Amino acid sequence: MKPLVRNAALSNYIELSQSLGIDPRTLMKRVGLDPVGLAVQDRWISGLAVTELLELSAAAAGRDDFGLLLAERRRFSNLGPISLVLREEPDVRSVIRLLVRHERMYNEMLHSRLTEANGLATVKVSLELGEARMARQAVELAVGAFHGFLRVFLGARWRPVSVCFTHGPPRDIAAHRRHFGPVVEFDQEFNGLVLYASDLDTPNSMSDPLLRGYARQYFESIAVVSETTELDRVRELIEVLLPTGRCSIEQVAGSLGVDRRTVHRHLAASGETFSSLVNATRTQLAEQLVANPRRSLTEISGLLGFSAPSAFSRWFRDQFGTSAREWRTHRADTGPVPK
């Protein structure tokens, strides 16, 4: 199944396009979207079409910050019914957890994750498109919108510790500085936000305890829950353990507090093996890391858990059909290499 998003993902798209001198109707027709349909925010449309539309619009306008400009026009209500419940949550931590848990209610491409360690909280944002495709604008829209939603609860003067993107900087960084402040960083290992964990304890000034129960009751009647599965937990541990060189099923099982047979059983129920999941995680990380020219291939080899660069080179060629160096050059010149 191809991922879907609500029409609200393109809220204010027409106005922004016109302000930049491009024809939104022509571009939308080109990707198979109906401009008239945008009037119904809760209608679902193709996520891949939206992703392609944002890239085409950025190219037509000559603005590689198009996705971020669209994020600046986001309103809290664009989230749909979930916004009613978020307004009544007691603190920011609860707000983020609810957003992550129910993200498929408003965007089936979006996969977010909140982690806390050493006084910092990290919100990683990724898009699951189901195929290799340029998604710079969609990523910046998602991260920019998440940042904007947090400022609703933390105040307009709040700044995160860091805003991270895996892609390189735009030609003109002014919009990013305006939106995020001086903390935006490019060519990083993930897309998302880093903030102080103490920010999560900030009370929600909009919350009314008397309304919270009613809001929750209404929301639970329509909610679609995206629970963290055992597969998700194993995948996250693999990502953490790969750079240490100790990514084994025994290590993962120990971290989960179970034996290796239990891990095998959970993975088999999802049609996976430990080896297939390690390989899939390596492939996803390799695309991000090799695309970053500031990372040496030797360094990337270690981050992916290979004992030697030669082993990484053989694996990369088997997965991508070309050498890592050639893939990086092709990516820089033309975008992602189709698989």
Side-chain angles (χ1 to χ4, degrees), residues 249-280:
I249 192 167
E250 290 81 9
Q251 192 77 30
V252 168
S255 298
L256 292 173
V258 299
D259 58 35
R260 58 179 294 165
R261 290 182 180 178
T262 302
V263 177
H264 278 307
R265 187 169 65 252
H266 284 304
L267 294 181
S270 301
E272 295 279 2
T273 66
F274 186 71
S275 296
S276 70
L277 206 55
V278 168
N279 197 64

Side-chain angles (χ1 to χ4, degrees), residues 15-302:
E15 294 86 343
L16 174 60
S17 297
Q18 291 176 331
S19 73
L20 296 176
I22 59 176
D23 181 3
R25 178 181 176 84
T26 298
L27 292 173
M28 290 187 71
K29 291 289 188 181
R30 184 172 167 182
V31 299
L33 294 177
D34 178 14
V36 177
L38 289 186
V40 185
Q41 284 213 344
D42 288 323
R43 180 177 295 168
W44 291 84
I45 55 178
S46 166
L48 292 176
V50 170
T51 301
E52 183 180 2
L53 175 65
L54 296 178
E55 294 298 328
L56 290 174
S57 301
R63 296 294 299 257
D64 50 4
D65 55 4
F66 187 90
L68 186 60
L69 296 178
L70 195 57
E72 290 183 323
R73 294 169 177 249
R74 272 290 180 273
R75 297 177 59 187
F76 187 58
S77 59
N78 292 144
L79 286 170
I82 195 174
S83 64
L84 301 175
V85 188
L86 295 175
R87 288 178 61 91
E88 306 305 333
E89 289 301 292
D91 54 43
V92 174
R93 179 179 285 100
S94 182
V95 167
I96 296 179
R97 285 178 174 170
L98 197 66
L99 261 178
V100 170
R101 187 181 183 210
H102 295 284
E103 59 193 7
R104 291 192 176 273
M105 283 196 67
Y106 52 92
N107 190 329
E108 291 182 350
M109 294 193 304
L110 188 62
H111 179 63
S112 309
R113 193 165 73 220
L114 170 66
T115 58
E116 296 181 57
N118 302 319
L120 294 175
T122 302
V123 180
K124 292 187 177 181
V125 177
S126 60
L127 299 180
E128 298 177 349
L129 303 177
E131 61 182 63
R133 185 176 289 241
M134 287 290 288
R136 178 189 182 108
Q137 304 307 322
V139 165
E140 294 206 351
L141 172 58
V143 174
F146 214 117
H147 175 271
F149 296 149
L150 284 176
R151 293 182 72 184
V152 170
F153 298 95
L154 292 167
R157 300 178 68 179
W158 171 80
R159 288 287 183 268
V161 175
S162 179
V163 177
C164 302
F165 293 106
T166 59
H167 50 254
R171 291 184 294 272
D172 183 353
I173 203 171
H176 291 78
R177 298 287 191 193
R178 180 178 67 248
H179 193 82
F180 300 118
V183 297
V184 61
E185 301 179 49
F186 298 91
D187 296 316
Q188 300 301 301
E189 294 178 16
F190 68 92
N191 297 303
L193 309 165
V194 180
L195 56 154
Y196 292 115
S198 58
D199 288 340
L200 302 180
D201 299 321
T202 303
N204 175 12
S205 60
M206 296 184 289
S207 176
D208 182 343
L210 295 178
L211 290 177
R212 190 176 306 147
Y214 292 111
R216 281 274 185 162
Q217 186 177 4
Y218 159 71
F219 187 67
E220 287 170 2
S221 69
I222 62 171
V224 177
V225 180
S226 179
E227 297 286 4
T228 300
T229 65
E230 290 297 322
L231 188 67
D232 294 327
R233 294 187 182 97
V234 173
R235 185 183 289 112
E236 290 174 11
L237 284 169
I238 288 172
E239 187 174 332
V240 170
L241 291 170
L242 276 175
T244 71
R246 301 193 308 274
C247 185
S248 65
I249 192 167
E250 290 81 9
Q251 192 77 30
V252 168
S255 298
L256 292 173
V258 299
D259 58 35
R260 58 179 294 165
R261 290 182 180 178
T262 302
V263 177
H264 278 307
R265 187 169 65 252
H266 284 304
L267 294 181
S270 301
E272 295 279 2
T273 66
F274 186 71
S275 296
S276 70
L277 206 55
V278 168
N279 197 64
T281 304
R282 273 179 166 157
T283 300
Q284 180 183 3
L285 292 173
E287 287 189 335
Q288 298 175 4
L289 294 170
V290 176
N292 183 351
R294 298 182 184 179
R295 295 277 189 189
S296 72
L297 297 182
T298 299
E299 181 185 8
I300 293 171
S301 170

